Amino acid sequence: MGVLDGDPAAQAGIWDAYSTGVRAVLRRTLGPGAEVEDALQEVFLRFFRSAANVREPSSLRSFLLGIAVRVASGELRRRRVRRWFLLTPDGQMPEPEPAADAAAEQAREAVRRLYAILDSLDDASRLAFVLRHVERLELTEVASAIGVSLATVKRKLGRVVPVVLARARADEVLSRWVASGPDEGDETVMISEEAAL
């Protein structure tokens, strides 16, 4: 793998092939307003420093997702500390958002409320939920990204999904976004991609 030799073309190829997917995982895991670009840079810096640990080129995506999950976990821990000290995420007063049409504003409000629910979860549960129900990763991919067994992911999702759904159903704004997933009896909160941006 040319990345191991510091080949700039190989590094650019890895960036081109995987940065969009990693950015999406970070954006959806961290939520609106996050410093996703900084986190994305951190993921790839860590990857290029540890590329020698990739044994199989076919596991590159899982390896990058694992790094992304660790970077996101660190950011979520920092947020908890900042909330403990009653600071905004960047220590500044938030800027007012420009006015938007009613439907888009309702979707953005639903996203804010969903991430408020996700903020109340422990980091591993939040990551498992987002990777499975937002990113739509297979259970084995979620387990690999988080670094736990498939059985552990199933147990974690079995505990967290009902909590998220119950809170979403009880929320007057989020309740209309609870929808059936692709599998029989598989409910989730369905909010458009545009609203999550």
Side-chain angles (χ1 to χ4, degrees):
M1 189 161 37
V3 172
L4 299 179
D5 303 322
D7 177 8
Q11 291 177 347
I14 297 289
W15 173 268
D16 290 344
Y18 295 99
S19 63
T20 301
V22 171
R23 181 182 289 111
V25 168
L26 291 168
R27 185 180 64 239
R28 293 174 184 144
T29 302
L30 297 173
E35 295 297 329
V36 172
E37 291 305 314
D38 290 343
L40 180 66
Q41 296 295 325
E42 180 65 24
V43 168
F44 279 90
L45 284 172
R46 289 185 188 187
F47 168 71
F48 292 129
R49 282 192 294 244
S50 61
N53 296 328
V54 178
R55 303 283 182 243
E56 293 289 325
S58 63
S59 66
L60 188 56
R61 180 175 181 263
S62 294
F63 192 79
L64 280 165
L65 284 176
I67 295 172
V69 164
R70 288 188 292 283
V71 168
S73 293
E75 176 58 25
L76 293 172
R77 278 191 298 279
R78 282 188 291 281
R79 284 184 189 177
R80 282 193 170 79
V81 169
R82 285 191 292 260
R83 277 197 302 271
W84 178 261
F85 289 106
L86 303 175
L87 296 174
T88 59
D90 61 1
Q92 304 295 320
M93 291 299 292
E95 293 292 322
E97 294 182 11
D101 68 324
E105 184 54 38
Q106 288 175 350
R108 279 193 289 279
E109 180 60 24
V111 168
R112 283 190 286 274
R113 290 177 184 228
L114 174 61
Y115 278 96
I117 292 170
L118 295 179
D119 283 345
S120 70
L121 304 175
D122 65 275
D123 294 347
S125 296
R126 176 187 177 131
L127 290 166
F129 181 87
V130 169
L131 292 174
R132 177 67 176 145
H133 291 281
V134 178
E135 287 298 314
R136 296 283 185 206
L137 295 182
E138 295 295 325
L139 288 170
T140 54
E141 292 176 299
V142 175
S144 175
I146 296 176
V148 297
S149 70
L150 180 60
T152 299
V153 165
K154 288 180 179 179
R155 280 193 305 274
K156 190 168 290 298
L157 287 170
R159 286 190 301 265
V160 75
V161 170
V163 170
V164 171
L165 289 175
R167 290 179 183 171
R169 279 191 215 101
D171 184 284
E172 63 186 69
V173 173
L174 272 179
S175 60
R176 62 177 181 245
W177 297 94
V178 177
S180 295
D183 301 323
E184 180 85 20
D186 180 24
E187 282 187 303
T188 192
V189 180
M190 306 291 281
I191 302 174
S192 71
E193 173 68 16
E194 295 76 24
L197 298 176

